[in-house]
Amino acid sequence: MSASKEQHDESNELSTAQMILLFCIFSFLLVWLGDTFTAVVGIIGEIIIFVFAYNEKHKLID
């Protein structure tokens, strides 16, 4: 029973493809709805957030 719970917990995480798709959608919205400054700062902030999320998932950097 604990094995199925572990599988269920892991299935709640986003796949890498889903993370990339969300990144592209958020970037597009920032560029489309914001001015240049907002888009640049928003995309930099978005990169930082997604790098930390990707690192948490794959444990690349300790």
Side-chain angles (χ1 to χ4, degrees):
M1 192 175 219
S2 65
S4 65
K5 177 155 176 55
E6 288 175 8
Q7 289 175 351
H8 180 69
D9 289 341
E10 291 178 12
S11 67
N12 289 337
E13 294 181 4
L14 294 174
S15 70
T16 303
Q18 290 172 328
M19 288 179 60
I20 292 171
L21 181 64
L22 279 173
F23 178 83
C24 292
I25 291 170
F26 290 147
S27 296
F28 173 76
L29 288 174
L30 281 169
V31 170
W32 182 45
L33 296 175
D35 58 355
T36 304
F37 178 77
T38 304
V40 170
V41 172
I43 291 172
I44 291 171
E46 186 180 358
I47 289 170
I48 292 168
I49 291 168
F50 277 87
V51 164
F52 279 112
Y54 187 82
N55 186 47
E56 269 302 306
K57 181 177 180 180
H58 296 286
K59 302 290 185 199
L60 298 175
I61 300 172
D62 290 332

